[in-house]
Amino acid sequence: MVLETEVAIVGAGAAGLSLAHRLSRPVPGTRTPSVVLVDAPPGPMRPPRRTWCFWEAGAGRFDAALTTAWRHLRVRPPSGAAVEGDIAPLRYKMIRSDDFEHLVAHDLTASRAVRRLEATVGAVEDVRGGAHVHLRDADGRPGVLRARWVFDSRPPGSLPAARTTLLQHFHGWFVRTARPVFDPRTAELMDFRTPQPAEGLSFGYLLPVSRREALVEYTEFSPRPLSAGDYGTAVRQYAEEVLRLGELQVLSTETGVIPMTDAPMPRRVGASVFRIGAAGGATRPSTGYTFAGIQRQTGAVAAALRRGRRPVPPPAHSARSRAMDAVLLRALDSGRADGPALFSHLFARVPMRDLLLFLDGRTRLHEDLAVGLRTPVGPMLRSALELPRLPRRPFDQDP
């Protein structure tokens, strides 16, 4: 089997589907390249079900697939009063991967430009004038997909060497409670009333969909993930002892691990081969949020392809943002900064809307400095001065 296309997209997760969606319809005044989206067969190679959250003002490209959205957010310190804020005109939006995939699949079905192919991808090989994607179809037969450009969204086999790497790992329950206990108007971003681990920090995350349904999640920033049993214990403790939800039914679960690293993530891995999504640096190192970075990156790639330009994915986050993230990660990993106190203080001192714009890299230098001055300056300055002397090492999550 030999196929040919202008653009090959490997992987049908958030990044692959987003790029395919942007290339699926003609845009007046530009050309529409032919696209093949290669999706892994059902099984362990497919991305697990996930929930993605992001914030934006007004209507968005994927609003039809949203579960819900909030304009009011809350952060709870380990003790004392909660910090609350209205983020208008922004909305904090929640989209589940199943709904996102359904929306994109519906639009791709009507597209003449995009073809979907179910196959397992092996090597991606640079050749003169393009690249070859070596694959096997659902029946195990080998084949080659010849493309001018290849965008690989699969997770990398290993992380690049870094000065600091933490993992954001989480386990969540979508629950239905016996009584109406949630406030569907308010999302809780960080609830630090959870027991804190020996290394790193933990918090609860609560996204209410209605008075009786919500995503209840336990999250850690730490060097290593937990066992399945420990995650279940942590979520149950948060639901029962902290939130006091009472009788509840677990409708579904989700688990994930997101690297938070100052490692440079290569976006170009060949003359015609690029990485997009988390593999291409779309994840914000200090927060783990990825969906908004994916949209910036894939939007730029699609625009370049339509105009016949070299479609190198741009950095999803500015150099200044990545430098500040590197300092924060080092301060947390070294133990110089108390994570719950740092984040609680930051949300208490900076209006939530402004802080979300900062976390999305949409603030100017003086605004970034104003946020930085509301962190523990001593530990952050010491971490910043230390970074240039630290070697970059491969990440090893074994104890």
Side-chain angles (χ1 to χ4, degrees):
M1 174 181 65
V2 178
L3 301 173
E4 293 193 4
T5 186
E6 292 179 71
V7 176
I9 302 172
V10 179
L17 289 173
S18 294
L19 181 55
H21 192 261
R22 291 179 181 277
L23 295 171
S24 62
R25 295 179 181 175
V27 174
T30 67
R31 61 184 302 276
T32 302
S34 61
V35 179
V36 172
L37 173 64
V38 186
D39 192 5
M45 299 299 292
R46 283 200 177 177
R49 292 178 177 176
R50 291 285 175 84
T51 299
W52 299 303
C53 289
F54 56 101
W55 48 91
E56 61 184 351
R61 184 180 188 89
F62 302 111
D63 278 4
L66 291 181
T67 302
T68 190
W70 302 267
R71 58 173 282 181
H72 196 258
L73 304 180
R74 181 183 295 128
V75 171
R76 295 185 184 271
S79 61
V83 179
E84 304 189 27
D86 190 314
I87 62 171
L90 301 178
R91 293 291 186 275
Y92 189 81
K93 298 182 176 183
M94 170 186 178
I95 187 169
R96 300 183 72 174
S97 58
D98 284 356
D99 297 324
F100 176 75
E101 291 166 10
H102 180 77
L103 172 67
V104 173
H106 177 270
D107 290 349
L108 295 186
T109 300
S111 172
R112 295 182 179 180
V114 180
R115 172 184 174 184
R116 298 191 73 160
L117 174 65
E118 192 173 281
T120 301
V121 173
V124 178
E125 175 190 13
D126 254 318
V127 298
R128 177 185 286 267
H132 288 174
V133 179
H134 297 273
L135 46 79
R136 289 185 178 274
D137 67 16
D139 296 321
R141 294 172 297 194
V144 174
L145 174 60
R146 297 174 177 171
R148 177 65 185 93
W149 307 109
V150 176
F151 298 91
D152 194 342
S153 66
R154 296 173 298 173
S158 60
L159 293 174
R163 294 166 299 190
T164 309
T165 298
L166 293 173
L167 299 178
Q168 180 181 155
H169 49 104
F170 55 88
H171 183 68
W173 292 349
F174 282 91
V175 303
R176 179 182 293 126
T177 57
R179 54 192 178 88
V181 294
F182 301 119
D183 176 4
R185 299 168 300 177
T186 303
E188 305 223 8
L189 289 188
M190 290 179 149
D191 185 346
F192 290 109
R193 295 176 297 172
T194 53
Q196 295 302 308
E199 298 179 272
L201 62 97
S202 75
F203 56 90
Y205 183 48
L206 177 63
L207 301 181
V209 176
S210 69
R211 292 284 292 163
R212 294 179 54 204
E213 292 189 8
L215 170 61
V216 178
E217 199 159 272
Y218 173 84
T219 300
E220 279 193 16
F221 295 176
S222 62
R224 288 170 292 278
L226 306 179
S227 68
D230 287 342
Y231 282 123
T233 299
V235 179
R236 185 171 299 281
Q237 183 181 45
Y238 179 56
E240 293 179 355
E241 299 181 16
V242 178
L243 298 179
R244 302 182 183 277
L245 298 182
E247 182 182 349
L248 59 82
Q249 177 187 2
V250 178
L251 304 177
S252 62
T253 66
E254 67 172 28
T255 303
V257 179
I258 302 171
M260 303 170 66
T261 176
D262 68 354
M265 305 295 285
R267 302 183 306 282
R268 185 169 189 171
V269 292
S272 299
V273 183
F274 308 98
R275 286 181 177 155
I276 56 173
T283 300
R284 181 75 193 256
S286 62
T287 66
Y289 284 100
T290 304
F291 195 82
I294 285 173
Q295 301 315 314
R296 287 192 290 271
Q297 199 174 64
T298 57
V301 167
L305 287 167
R306 290 185 182 280
R307 288 169 173 76
R309 300 172 182 167
R310 187 172 296 274
V312 180
H317 310 286
S318 70
R320 188 168 77 239
S321 294
R322 297 195 305 274
M324 291 186 293
D325 287 355
V327 174
L328 174 62
L329 289 176
R330 180 59 188 167
L332 292 175
D333 190 44
S334 66
R336 293 191 188 106
D338 179 308
L342 184 155
F343 286 109
S344 298
H345 184 76
L346 201 55
F347 276 97
R349 296 288 301 277
V350 181
M352 286 196 181
R353 174 187 170 277
D354 296 345
L355 194 52
L356 291 182
L357 292 175
F358 167 79
L359 293 176
D360 216 20
R362 288 188 279 159
T363 44
R364 292 169 290 183
L365 177 59
H366 74 275
E367 294 169 314
D368 293 345
L369 293 174
V371 172
L373 290 173
R374 286 166 172 79
T375 63
V377 175
M380 302 297 275
L381 181 59
R382 184 177 171 189
S383 298
L385 294 174
E386 179 186 53
L387 280 175
R389 304 192 304 271
L390 292 178
R392 293 186 181 273
R393 296 189 174 93
F395 176 63
D396 180 8
Q397 68 180 48
D398 293 330

